[in-house]
Amino acid sequence: MTLTVLLADDQALLRSAFRVLVDSEPGMRVVGEAADGAEAVRLARAERPDVVLMDIRMPGTDGLAATREICSDPELAGVRVVMLTTFEVDEYVVQSLRAGASGFLGKGAEPEELLAAIRIAAAGEALLSPAATKGLIATFLATGGGVTPARPSPSLDTLTAREREVLVHVAGGLSNDEIGERLTVSPLTVKTHVNRAMAKLGARDRAQLVMLAYESGLVRPRSPGE
């Protein structure tokens, strides 16, 4: 199966470099390029890519607005957005995740990291890279960060005790295999719990589960030194 990718960045040279990288990777193909957010939304609807690599700051309609529009469109439910940014953590990144992005990647990432990010996002996994930024985002969210959520976080009361337990581990950045080892169950059982939690909470993917876990207070960031 070929993973299709849409590139959205106002820098033509950067788009060209990404295209060469993606098109040279077996099993991946660029299906379009956009220079601004409005064009990214139009191409996303026309091409239905598996993953959109979206620059946050673009002229006109920026990446944040485009991400919100793509991720709120039921017909584009299968499209995953990975934000490209020169900033590791700021309010734009947090808003991007709240808008539905599957995660973000620094523009200085190595080629292997970019290709891995496409695969991770397409698989519905949470991409909060580098790993240390997961804790920084958690702290930003827990302290409010001056950003109001786009909508109230759904109640976790609909989750079973085991689903809540799994959600805690998902928010900790553990994979299904790692959670399975912690809970002494199979990775397939963990995946079932994760999928049920996403369905009950209306989350698109694991990144959204991480957001909900912190916004609801189920998981709290650790203090320095903990």
Side-chain angles (χ1 to χ4, degrees):
M1 177 182 173
T2 299
L3 293 180
T4 55
V5 181
L6 172 63
L7 307 175
D9 195 295
D10 62 324
Q11 298 182 48
L13 286 177
L14 192 57
R15 294 199 310 273
S16 296
F18 285 159
R19 175 181 279 275
V20 170
L21 176 64
V22 172
D23 282 344
S24 65
E25 180 69 8
M28 289 189 191
R29 178 170 59 92
V30 173
V31 294
E33 296 183 25
D36 58 49
E39 188 176 11
V41 173
R42 181 181 63 78
L43 287 175
R45 288 176 173 149
E47 301 294 341
R48 306 294 174 91
D50 295 304
V51 177
V52 180
L53 296 181
M54 181 85 74
D55 185 20
I56 287 184
R57 297 185 176 182
M58 293 184 287
T61 301
D62 63 15
L64 178 61
T67 296
R68 185 180 296 111
E69 191 167 350
I70 290 172
C71 294
S72 64
D73 188 339
E75 295 187 1
L76 300 179
V79 178
R80 303 292 182 229
V81 178
V82 174
M83 306 302 297
L84 298 174
T85 176
T86 54
F87 304 92
E88 293 302 338
V89 177
D90 62 15
E91 68 273 20
Y92 295 106
V93 171
V94 174
Q95 286 181 316
S96 297
L97 293 174
R98 282 181 170 142
S102 294
F104 68 95
L105 192 69
K107 286 188 175 182
E110 295 295 326
E112 295 77 11
E113 290 181 287
L114 180 65
L115 296 174
I118 293 172
R119 294 191 182 92
I120 290 171
E125 299 292 330
L127 178 68
L128 305 179
S129 178
T133 60
K134 190 186 298 291
L136 293 175
I137 289 176
T139 300
F140 195 95
L141 289 172
T143 57
V147 181
T148 302
R151 59 184 175 84
S153 297
S155 171
L156 302 185
D157 293 343
T158 58
L159 301 183
T160 65
R162 179 45 64 94
E163 288 165 355
R164 290 168 68 95
E165 189 175 13
V166 168
L167 179 53
V168 169
H169 290 307
V170 168
L174 300 185
S175 66
N176 287 350
D177 288 344
E178 292 169 330
I179 296 173
E181 290 179 6
R182 296 279 185 95
L183 303 181
T184 320
V185 297
S186 72
L188 182 58
T189 297
V190 174
K191 183 178 180 180
T192 298
H193 289 309
V194 171
N195 288 341
R196 287 176 177 169
M198 287 196 292
K200 290 179 179 180
L201 299 177
R204 286 170 57 93
D205 52 27
R206 291 171 83 99
Q208 298 304 297
L209 285 182
V210 173
M211 297 286 292
L212 292 171
Y214 283 105
E215 288 183 333
S216 68
L218 178 64
V219 177
R220 298 185 183 280
R222 294 181 179 182
S223 301
E226 284 190 314

